[in-house]
């Protein structure tokens, strides 16, 4: 038994610097609260949030421009009323065309057993 302990102790004492460097590197890269892996995850999250912020800024600029146009131009109000809310003048008819495909009705399809009968 003392032979195994002495062998282990001599291995540790011989490679003590290498062991400390390896353990320290593992702690810094994987296990620490401020690890490299955590840092990479947070950097990716920051990039996503910055993209989202720029998208919101663009939407805000578009909305501010539209609001300014609505305040200054009464024809813009009429355009929005016609396009988005399908409002019309008294002497007009409106036809709404849609490219949406109707979902197939499961009751309309025949099953294989119905085809064979």
């Amino acid at each position: 038994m003392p032979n195994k302990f002495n062998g282990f102790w001599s291995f540790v004492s011989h490679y003590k610097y290498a062991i400390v460097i390896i353990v320290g590197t593992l702690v810094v890269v994987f296990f620490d609260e401020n690890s490299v892996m955590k840092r990479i995850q947070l950097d990716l999250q920051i990039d996503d949030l910055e993209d989202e912020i720029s998208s919101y800024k663009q939407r805000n600029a578009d909305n501010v421009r539209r609001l300014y146009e609505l305040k200054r131009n009464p024809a813009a109000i009429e355009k929005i009323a016609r396009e988005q809310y399908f409002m019309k003048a008294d002497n007009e008819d409106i036809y709404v065309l849609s490219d949406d495909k109707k979902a197939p009705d499961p009751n309309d399809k025949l099953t294989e057993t119905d085809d064979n009968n």
Side-chain angles (χ1 to χ4, degrees):
M1 181 78 169
N3 231 359
K4 290 182 182 181
F5 182 70
N6 287 339
F8 174 73
W9 189 251
S10 70
F11 176 79
V12 169
S13 65
H14 189 262
Y15 294 107
K16 60 185 167 190
Y17 295 113
I19 292 171
V20 168
I21 290 172
I22 291 171
V23 170
T25 303
L26 288 175
V27 167
V28 169
V29 172
F30 295 107
F31 301 116
D32 191 29
E33 181 179 308
N34 300 318
S35 69
V36 174
M37 299 297 283
K38 185 75 167 178
R39 170 77 183 210
I40 292 170
Q41 288 174 348
L42 291 175
D43 284 342
L44 292 173
Q45 186 178 5
I46 286 171
D47 290 340
D48 291 342
L49 291 173
E50 286 174 348
D51 291 342
E52 192 174 338
I53 287 171
S54 66
S55 148
Y56 284 132
K57 284 183 179 179
Q58 180 64 36
R59 285 177 52 190
N60 184 32
D62 291 341
N63 288 336
V64 166
R65 183 186 47 79
R66 283 184 178 171
L67 183 60
Y68 178 78
E69 185 180 337
L70 286 174
K71 286 182 180 179
R72 300 291 181 232
N73 188 3
I77 296 173
E78 184 177 342
K79 179 182 175 185
I80 290 176
R82 289 175 180 270
E83 289 178 357
Q84 293 181 1
Y85 300 109
F86 304 115
M87 294 184 172
K88 65 179 187 86
D90 291 334
N91 59 354
E92 292 180 330
D93 290 331
I94 292 182
Y95 299 97
V96 179
L97 303 176
S98 176
D99 290 341
D100 297 339
K101 294 182 180 179
K102 184 179 177 185
D105 188 10
N107 296 330
D108 291 344
K109 291 186 177 181
L110 297 175
T111 61
E112 283 187 30
T113 57
D114 292 341
D115 291 340
N116 294 334
N117 292 333

